[in-house]
Amino acid sequence: MRFAVLTMNPGIDRVLYFREPMRPGKMNRAYRSVTSQGSKGANVAIMLRRLGFDVVYYSFTGGYYGKLSEDILNKEKVECRYTPAACGIRVNTKVIDGNGVCTELNEEGGPVTPEETAALLEDFLSDPAETVFISGSFPQGVEKTVYKSLTAVEKERGRNVILDCAGEALTQAVVSRPDIIKPNIDEMRGLLDSLGMGKTLSPECEKDPASVSAACGKLAAAYRIGRVICTLGENGAVENRLTCGNSADGGEPLTESVFAPAVRVRMKGFSGAGDCFLAAFGAAVYGFGMKDADALRFASACGAAKVRLSGTLLPTAKSVYRLFSETDNHGDR
């Protein structure tokens, strides 16, 4: 199985650790810093490679941080195809203070030119992979409708499309019927509101998986999305899969619901957990051929394996399989 991963707004992550609470306007001295790969797509590509799959990563590069990103992906033995961008790539800074509070300072990225964007998309669309991941935000210079048209093209060509984005980009793209989307609970609320499906989720809904599952089912049926997954943090994850009505026959849309409890581990670093979850789910469904319940449980194990690592470190395949095998259907180890 070959996967292709597209990231249009790549970057480098830098995490700064402080022993004391942050003091705005004062000197704050970090005792440790960690620099690693950034962007959803890079994390997904690395995780897929660690799980044993062929993966090709498509993105922009340029400047000092572009070279650094290339070096990191090369060490992971991920095949990469870059489009040079004169603007280079961004740096996202995460500040973790002595109270464990994380503040994120993300650059917008870009601006990239229309010619640079066209070159990257042309290269990505030429890849023969059966399953594609389209991940992350847009840099300046890229229209937010790109994922909508890109998903439509890939679906027309018979590809499996896994879409991981938020906000207006996700709202636009769901009409193109991606095979998998995975908003977290906050992103799900925003998506339902923007689609005019009503404020169906309460502020405490993450503690009520059944209500979230119902909302996912309505979304999957309304827009003929193959699988709608919503991650609920420590409260687990839900998935609703479209079982019929996903074709031009106009059949009545029906969905099946699956719930996976969170795997209980000591949390050290949450950054990248959602990317690991999604990479593992895509690998489970399209690579390993797992059934939905096992696929969701495998994805949860991968997310848990990540959060027990500090900073932006990603788990090994061995640690993921260990958690998966040790976890029963109640999420206990």
Side-chain angles (χ1 to χ4, degrees), residues 143-278:
E143 296 292 331
K144 290 182 172 57
T145 57
V146 165
Y147 287 168
K148 174 184 177 181
S149 57
L150 191 59
T151 298
V153 169
E154 292 287 44
K155 290 286 292 179
E156 181 68 23
R157 298 170 69 191
R159 309 290 174 84
N160 304 309
V161 178
I162 302 175
L163 180 65
D164 188 16
C165 59
E168 184 180 348
L170 181 57
T171 302
Q172 294 277 350
V174 293
V175 300
S176 295
R177 301 183 181 182
D179 293 278
I180 298 174
I181 63 172
K182 187 208 67 64
N184 61 34
I185 189 61
D186 291 331
E187 292 164 346
M188 177 62 79
R189 285 195 194 94
L191 177 60
L192 293 174
D193 289 349
S194 65
L195 291 172
M197 298 184 72
K199 297 183 177 181
T200 57
L201 298 177
S202 71
E204 298 294 320
C205 65
E206 65 269 19
K207 298 178 182 178
D208 180 17
S211 68
V212 180
S213 180
C216 290
K218 291 178 181 178
L219 179 61
Y223 288 88
R224 306 298 201 274
I225 302 169
R227 289 176 168 90
V228 176
I229 302 168
C230 186
T231 51
L232 309 173
E234 64 180 11
N235 296 295
V238 296
E239 174 206 351
N240 272 75
R241 180 172 64 89
L242 198 65
T243 57
C244 69
N246 194 27
S247 62
D249 61 9
E252 183 69 21
L254 299 174
T255 63
E256 291 182 350
S257 177
V258 177
F259 169 72
V263 181
R264 305 301 177 185
V265 295
R266 182 180 178 184
M267 190 178 82
K268 292 184 179 179
F270 63 87
S271 181
D275 307 331
C276 290
F277 181 105
L278 188 59

Side-chain angles (χ1 to χ4, degrees), residues 41-120:
N43 289 333
V44 166
I46 291 171
M47 199 66 244
L48 287 170
R49 190 71 188 91
R50 290 188 178 186
L51 290 172
F53 292 96
D54 292 331
V55 56
V56 185
Y57 175 71
Y58 292 84
S59 194
F60 292 117
T61 190
Y64 172 81
Y65 291 111
K67 180 60 167 61
L68 180 57
S69 179
E70 290 181 40
D71 290 343
I72 292 171
L73 272 294
N74 286 338
K75 288 180 181 178
E76 294 286 343
K77 296 181 172 55
V78 174
E79 183 181 346
C80 299
R81 296 182 184 172
Y82 295 105
T83 298
C87 62
I89 71 172
R90 61 187 179 145
V91 178
N92 296 327
T93 303
K94 296 171 175 58
V95 177
I96 301 178
D97 70 12
N99 290 332
V101 176
C102 179
T103 302
E104 298 192 51
L105 307 170
N106 289 357
E107 294 183 12
E108 190 170 0
V112 296
T113 67
E115 293 77 15
E116 291 165 347
T117 299
L120 175 60

